Amino acid sequence: MPRGRPRLQPADEDTQAKRVYQRDYVQARKTKITELTADIKKCETDLKKMKKQRADLRQMAKDKLDKQLVGIPYDPDEPGALKKALAYKKALEKGNKIKT
């Protein structure tokens, strides 16, 4: 049983050709919309995966830095504090004089 409204009775060739063209155009448009919607969904899921991966990498880097800076006091909210703390640790390891 065909879905939708029933088709009109066949008309003259010109009108019938226009109907067929319009029917094909609508069907092609529906399939294109379906394909594009699927592509959008795929891109959204890929973006979510990449964001999750990025968050994991950031957390790993932060954990690695925290392990390196054990025992060295620094305020993470202060701008440039991490760089200063790393320079301080490097100076400690080399045995250089430490500027305070």
Side-chain angles (χ1 to χ4, degrees):
M1 185 82 196
R3 294 172 46 184
R5 67 182 190 150
R7 291 188 177 170
L8 297 173
Q9 295 299 319
D12 58 25
E13 278 186 42
D14 189 40
T15 308
Q16 193 63 28
K18 287 179 184 175
R19 288 180 188 168
V20 170
Y21 172 79
Q22 186 66 24
R23 202 175 299 130
D24 292 343
Y25 171 77
V26 169
Q27 188 62 35
R29 188 167 170 225
K30 283 181 185 178
T31 57
K32 188 68 173 177
I33 289 172
T34 307
E35 290 171 6
L36 292 174
T37 304
D39 288 347
I40 289 171
K41 292 282 187 202
K42 181 180 175 288
C43 289
E44 286 175 348
T45 55
D46 290 348
L47 182 64
K48 285 180 184 176
K49 286 178 188 176
M50 290 182 347
K51 283 185 177 179
K52 174 79 171 113
Q53 220 173 19
R54 182 176 164 201
D56 292 345
L57 288 172
R58 278 189 175 181
Q59 188 61 40
M60 284 174 41
K62 187 176 178 189
D63 293 344
K64 186 177 178 182
L65 282 174
D66 287 345
K67 286 179 186 176
Q68 284 181 345
L69 296 176
V70 170
I72 298 175
Y74 80 100
D75 183 16
D77 297 330
E78 182 183 329
L82 182 63
K83 191 173 183 180
K84 289 177 185 175
L86 287 171
Y88 179 79
K89 180 168 178 12
K90 190 174 182 181
L92 279 177
E93 289 173 352
K94 283 187 171 183
N96 295 346
K97 290 183 182 177
I98 299 172
K99 297 178 186 176
T100 54

